[in-house]
Amino acid sequence: MTATHTTTADSARSGLRFIIIGAGMSGILSAIKLREAGLDFTIYEKADRLGGTWRENTYAGITCDVPSHFYSFSFALNPDWSRQFSPGAEIQAYFEDVAHRYKIDEDIQYGKAVTGAAFENGRWQIELADGSTDVGDFLIAATGVLHHPAYPAIEGLDEFEGAAFHSARWDHDVSLAGKRVGLIGTGSSAIQITSAVIDEVQRLSVFQRTAQWVMPVPNSDFSDEERAAFRRNPESMQKLRDEVNRSFTEGFANVLGDAESPVMHAIHDACVANLENSVKDPGLREKLRPNYRAACKRLIMSGDFYDAIQRPNASLVTEGIERVEKSGLRTRDGKLHELDVLILATGFRVDQFVRPMNVTGRGGVVLDELWKGGPFAYMAIMVPEFPNLFMLNGPNSPVGNFSLIEVAELQFQYVMRMVDQVRSGSCRAISPSREAMERFDIERRKAAETTIWNTGCNSWYLDARGLPTAWPFTFDRFRKEMGRPRFDDHDMR
Ligand code: N01
């Protein structure tokens, strides 16, 4: 079966309607692509501003650790990125600018939280928190991966008398200048925070439960001349994007599934060398040395963390946390670490995906029930019995140290091929068959066993049973699958 391409006029006549949930990166992408195709859509955004993760995460030092020219829409390259890895505020401004330039910002309905979606009578019936309803033929869940902050279950957290906040809920009213600051966590967020605040605070105590491998990645500025050259010659940006894409694909994303590949070992060696060469004090060096393979957890990219943690006003606390008290944090050795501010860089509840929305598919199948053992999706996009529902950067997507913009763009190609089946009149509703889902899941689970994420560490990549959930195959295979959907695996009615 082949997909047919309809013209804008054809699709306008078709009267098909899309509902996009979320105006973050992938919601903006969806809207732009649907507009280009002449299709009708509405975007519901629960906040009062677009930007998703870049709106919500405003912590000190926030930077995207994927090179900016790769973390850009392929159709909206940006000559003005200030650095190789640009700060979060610049990325937020980029998304606002793109949404404005493509005139999709006018179509976003802000302050509208979708609470429920049900596939009834061949269409998606939507309920919103304000009591309003809507109906669409297609539903795009562009709801993000890392969205719901995870708060640590540490006794006494409410008793702390200083300021305390999660890294994704940064309190800009709290000045850290001259304060005794405690930072729980050593993930990508905490590492960036450490480097950003160390010059400002009186003392920074980093509470490390698990050490992290750090890849030394300097972050240089683009000079005025370089930016002018990008403006004069946009092809040079395209070339740079293609080069970074290729090197991230070949030098990382294609080999994550093979923990024993020479590339994975070379990455490990580079991280070991970085630790050995950068950390002078042998005691501190051993505290910072992980006991698992590099890239088993999401690899930390930083050119300055080791410098920051060796400053005289920094301390790395590896003793377990006993409880939080009024004036600070008590570790299991009985020591009280007195603090004025406590920052929880403790990550996200990654298994939530489209939840807490209540999503019901064909025949009353409830998504929450189906996913009670953990979320899954055929080709990381669709779920059986949930016709015409597409998830971008959803369960089983490639998530490790790669441009999620590239991932979403590829996924959207797939979405449009599915939509084309409906536009061409082949069917009204399309979803993967249960058999195809099961086959895909069995293959995915098997492949997950040999991934680097399964080499003996704990991370948000793992499901409740300890198996990595992200796309375990090569990224080349992902590209291929996205470009050439297996229509025979789908139930079309
Ligand atoms: O969160 P994390 P994050 N007691 O889950 C510790 C993306 N991101 O916000 O390792 C003590 O990685 C926990 O310890 P452990 C990126 O995909 C991207 O830093 O579980 N400690 C860990 O150290 C990233 O992977 C960028 O033992 C506790 C930390 O908190 C993802 O977001 C930048 C604890 C959580 O680390 C999440 O990163 C930043 C407890 N009770 C983030 N609970 C880019 O640059 C948790 N921890 C694109």
Side-chain angles (χ1 to χ4, degrees):
M1 209 169 303
T2 50
T4 38
H5 285 278
T6 48
T7 63
T8 300
D10 289 336
S11 53
R13 274 199 300 274
S14 73
L16 295 173
R17 184 147 189 278
F18 290 72
I19 291 174
I20 303 169
I21 309 175
M25 174 276 287
S26 47
I28 295 168
L29 166 75
S30 306
I32 292 172
K33 292 291 172 189
L34 291 174
R35 166 75 39 81
E36 261 173 31
L39 290 163
D40 181 28
F41 64 87
T42 298
I43 314 176
Y44 290 116
E45 167 55 59
K46 66 179 159 52
D48 58 2
R49 216 177 151 197
L50 57 78
T53 199
W54 301 105
R55 176 196 64 228
E56 308 234 323
N57 284 272
T58 59
Y59 60 76
I62 183 164
T63 302
C64 183
D65 63 9
V66 175
S68 298
H69 282 275
F70 187 33
Y71 194 81
S72 305
F73 291 121
S74 60
F75 52 85
L77 301 179
N78 175 21
D80 295 318
W81 289 122
S82 64
R83 317 192 76 186
Q84 295 283 349
F85 304 93
S86 298
E90 223 176 283
I91 299 168
Q92 172 67 18
Y94 167 76
F95 286 127
E96 285 175 347
D97 177 55
V98 170
H100 187 64
R101 278 195 281 134
Y102 285 79
K103 296 192 172 24
I104 59 118
D105 51 349
E106 302 155 2
D107 299 297
I108 303 171
Q109 299 211 20
Y110 290 106
K112 292 276 201 175
V114 175
T115 51
F119 190 75
E120 285 167 7
N121 305 320
R123 302 189 84 195
W124 282 100
Q125 320 283 328
I126 308 301
E127 284 176 8
L128 293 105
D130 61 7
S132 58
T133 58
D134 199 355
V135 185
D137 301 283
F138 297 96
L139 187 59
I140 298 180
T143 43
V145 198
L146 301 167
H147 183 55
H148 301 278
Y151 288 88
I154 301 175
E155 209 189 317
L157 209 48
D158 294 342
E159 289 164 28
F160 184 58
E161 287 183 340
F165 48 85
H166 191 278
S167 56
R169 297 285 179 272
W170 195 267
D171 187 342
H172 291 275
D173 291 336
V174 175
S175 163
L176 302 184
K179 302 270 173 61
R180 298 163 303 174
V181 177
L183 174 63
I184 302 182
T186 46
S188 303
S189 302
I191 297 299
Q192 293 181 344
I193 293 168
T194 300
S195 306
V197 306
I198 194 66
D199 285 336
E200 184 188 1
V201 300
Q202 183 201 112
R203 163 145 296 278
L204 179 70
S205 305
V206 177
F207 295 88
Q208 170 186 285
R209 185 166 68 181
T210 311
Q212 287 273 12
W213 287 115
V214 180
M215 191 76 175
V217 183
N219 186 8
S220 53
D221 289 344
F222 286 112
S223 64
D224 290 346
E225 293 73 36
E226 283 171 312
R227 283 185 274 168
F230 285 139
R231 264 193 295 278
R232 272 196 313 275
N233 180 11
E235 289 77 41
S236 62
M237 279 188 284
Q238 185 60 54
K239 193 163 167 275
L240 179 57
R241 189 182 194 281
D242 292 346
E243 276 168 16
V244 179
N245 191 345
R246 205 166 28 252
S247 79
F248 267 62
T249 300
E250 285 162 15
F252 200 70
N254 269 354
V255 292
L256 288 162
D258 177 9
E260 297 314 323
S261 79
V263 177
M264 292 321 305
H265 283 289
I267 289 172
H268 185 83
D269 294 346
C271 291
V272 173
N274 186 32
L275 176 68
E276 301 290 351
N277 299 335
S278 311
V279 182
K280 294 187 188 70
D281 175 64
L284 180 62
R285 199 188 307 138
E286 289 322 302
K287 282 182 172 183
L288 287 166
R289 190 187 302 277
N291 59 0
Y292 56 86
R293 299 267 308 274
C296 181
K297 279 174 176 287
R298 189 180 195 273
L299 196 53
I300 305 287
M301 311 280 191
S302 175
D304 47 22
F305 170 69
Y306 284 148
D307 173 51
I309 200 69
Q310 292 179 88
R311 299 290 187 83
N313 62 335
S315 52
L316 184 75
V317 184
T318 53
E319 201 59 53
I321 300 167
E322 178 73 37
R323 54 172 289 118
V324 180
E325 299 184 3
K326 280 182 187 173
S327 58
L329 226 151
R330 193 172 294 278
T331 42
R332 290 204 193 112
D333 54 0
K335 185 172 174 192
L336 178 67
H337 304 258
E338 289 193 274
L339 303 171
D340 303 307
V341 181
L342 179 60
I343 303 169
L344 310 170
T346 43
F348 300 85
R349 285 153 52 209
V350 76
D351 63 334
Q352 296 298 300
F353 285 101
V354 299
R355 293 173 281 186
M357 275 186 302
N358 208 346
V359 185
T360 310
R362 187 185 270 141
V365 180
V366 176
L367 192 62
D368 245 354
E369 286 286 309
L370 196 69
W371 280 359
K372 59 177 183 291
F376 56 83
Y378 174 79
M379 290 296 160
I381 298 181
M382 299 177 81
V383 182
E385 310 305 343
F386 290 77
N388 301 357
L389 165 66
F390 307 108
M391 291 175 285
L392 298 178
N393 284 307
N396 313 134
S397 283
V399 289
N401 291 93
F402 202 79
S403 170
L404 292 197
I405 297 187
E406 179 72 4
V407 170
E409 286 196 27
L410 291 165
Q411 290 180 326
F412 205 79
Q413 279 178 19
Y414 188 99
V415 170
M416 288 308 281
R417 299 291 303 279
M418 295 290 126
V419 169
D420 280 344
Q421 295 300 309
V422 178
R423 289 165 83 188
S424 67
S426 298
C427 61
R428 291 291 299 177
I430 185 163
S431 55
S433 67
R434 283 176 183 255
E435 297 71 40
M437 179 74 248
E438 204 179 319
R439 212 182 321 119
F440 176 75
D441 220 42
I442 290 170
E443 199 194 347
R444 177 187 70 76
R445 283 165 188 280
K446 184 153 181 16
E449 287 171 11
T450 60
T451 58
I452 189 71
W453 308 307
N454 200 35
T455 53
C457 69
N458 192 17
S459 79
W460 64 262
Y461 290 151
L462 308 181
D463 65 17
R465 281 161 290 183
L467 197 69
T469 58
W471 184 263
F473 314 110
T474 64
F475 201 82
D476 284 341
R477 172 162 171 196
F478 181 71
R479 273 186 217 287
K480 198 168 131 209
E481 297 281 5
M482 294 301 101
R484 249 191 288 152
R486 305 171 188 216
F487 290 106
D488 289 347
D489 276 357
H490 290 79
D491 174 13
M492 301 191 206
R493 299 188 194 177

